[in-house]
Amino acid sequence: MIKVCNLKKDFGENQVLKGIDYEIHQGEKIVVIGPSGSGKSTFLRCLNLLEIPTAGEIWFDGKLITDKKTDINEVRKHMGMVFQHFNLFNNKTIIDNITLAPVHLKLMSKEEANENALNLLKRVGLSDKADAYPSQLSGGQKQRAAIVRSLAMNPKVMLFDEPTSALDPEMVGEVLQVMKDLAKEGMTMVVVTHEMGFAREAASKVIFIDDGKIQEENTPGELFGNPQNPRLRDFLTKVL
């Protein structure tokens, strides 16, 4: 579904990604771990061109999206993105946040979008918050609403950029539960996270990125149970 070839990203003199090759297949749950500043979030943000790669190719669903002629907004309709800080519109109700894109892009009528949004809110335990504003929600509720907003577009893949790192510890579980449910339903997911428990439980593959490169990739059982790379072993002793 996503193919990354020799992906490089520089910010000025700083080379953040140094040539990443990777393929993500339909239904896979790829969890990306690594120390802060290793390039994990930059890798994720390149996948939907929120960061424009310095070099390399990214293919999504058979299309070369790094080609200048590609309409990236068309591509992004099929790639949900969940951010660290929710990025909800504070002046709109939760249901308006969710229905805005599908209606604006004429993918659904207002009525269809509303019905879809209410069904999705019910799934994540937020039926009673449809008419609330983001300021009236806890961090965990905001993040669940942000996940629903992405799901409302019926994406082919969901990208999560450290979705729990801005939350109070007791709210992390409720967001991870929604993500685990999505994983069980077969959603293709790429998740950058510090939550090793989630990586162990929900990932089909875990990638360890350090110094701008994929240093190791394996199933959760192997990567956590039998790490090969010395840098990964060192990292795991600090976080587990």
Side-chain angles (χ1 to χ4, degrees):
M1 187 171 273
I2 300 175
K3 186 176 177 187
V4 177
C5 308
N6 196 27
L7 176 64
K8 295 181 180 173
K9 176 65 183 172
D10 304 341
F11 292 99
E13 298 292 294
N14 185 14
Q15 212 182 2
V16 177
L17 298 178
K18 302 177 181 174
I20 286 185
D21 296 287
Y22 200 69
E23 286 186 17
I24 296 159
H25 300 98
Q26 188 167 354
E28 282 191 316
K29 293 32 156 186
I30 307 299
V31 175
V32 186
I33 64 169
S36 293
S38 58
K40 312 183 292 295
S41 285
T42 302
F43 168 66
L44 188 81
R45 292 169 67 86
C46 283
L47 295 181
N48 64 358
L49 301 197
L50 281 178
E51 299 290 357
I52 305 299
T54 307
E57 291 182 347
I58 299 170
W59 296 77
F60 173 65
D61 226 12
K63 285 193 196 76
L64 179 61
I65 65 170
T66 40
D67 182 350
K68 294 274 188 288
K69 295 194 282 291
T70 299
D71 177 359
I72 190 58
N73 290 323
E74 194 54 43
V75 172
R76 284 186 188 139
K77 285 181 191 175
H78 306 290
M79 297 176 110
M81 177 91 180
V82 178
F83 300 89
Q84 193 172 344
H85 294 290
F86 330 125
N87 291 17
L88 295 167
F89 295 110
N90 289 320
N91 60 335
K92 293 190 181 299
T93 61
I94 295 305
I95 196 159
D96 286 343
N97 264 281
I98 296 163
T99 56
L100 183 72
V103 173
H104 178 70
L105 296 168
K106 299 189 171 48
L107 301 178
M108 296 176 196
S109 69
K110 183 76 173 146
E111 293 71 33
E112 288 170 327
N114 276 343
E115 189 182 344
N116 184 41
L118 289 169
N119 286 337
L120 288 167
L121 284 169
K122 190 172 174 184
R123 256 176 66 180
V124 301
L126 291 176
S127 301
D128 56 336
K129 301 295 183 194
D131 298 319
Y133 286 87
S135 61
Q136 297 167 299
L137 269 58
S138 71
Q141 290 170 329
K142 283 182 200 170
Q143 195 58 293
R144 282 185 282 156
I147 292 172
V148 164
R149 181 180 55 181
S150 284
L151 288 176
M153 294 288 290
N154 202 14
K156 294 178 179 176
V157 61
M158 289 277 283
L159 310 176
F160 294 85
D161 188 10
E162 298 195 24
T164 58
S165 59
L167 299 178
D168 292 335
E170 71 266 25
M171 291 173 188
V172 168
E174 65 193 53
V175 172
L176 292 180
Q177 191 53 55
V178 171
M179 292 168 64
K180 284 175 195 165
D181 292 345
L182 271 181
K184 283 195 193 94
E185 287 161 21
M187 174 63 78
T188 309
M189 297 163 71
V190 187
V191 184
V192 171
T193 187
H194 295 291
E195 299 292 335
M196 299 300 147
F198 174 80
R200 273 199 164 120
E201 200 176 320
S204 35
K205 295 264 179 66
V206 182
I207 309 176
F208 174 66
I209 291 185
D210 188 40
D211 192 30
K213 291 194 178 120
I214 295 178
Q215 305 287 354
E216 191 160 334
E217 177 230 2
N218 218 321
T219 60
E222 280 297 310
L223 187 126
F224 290 111
N226 186 22
Q228 303 298 307
N229 183 293
R231 181 72 190 88
L232 172 60
R233 286 202 291 270
D234 178 50
F235 174 74
L236 291 176
T237 57
K238 295 193 175 94
V239 297
L240 292 180

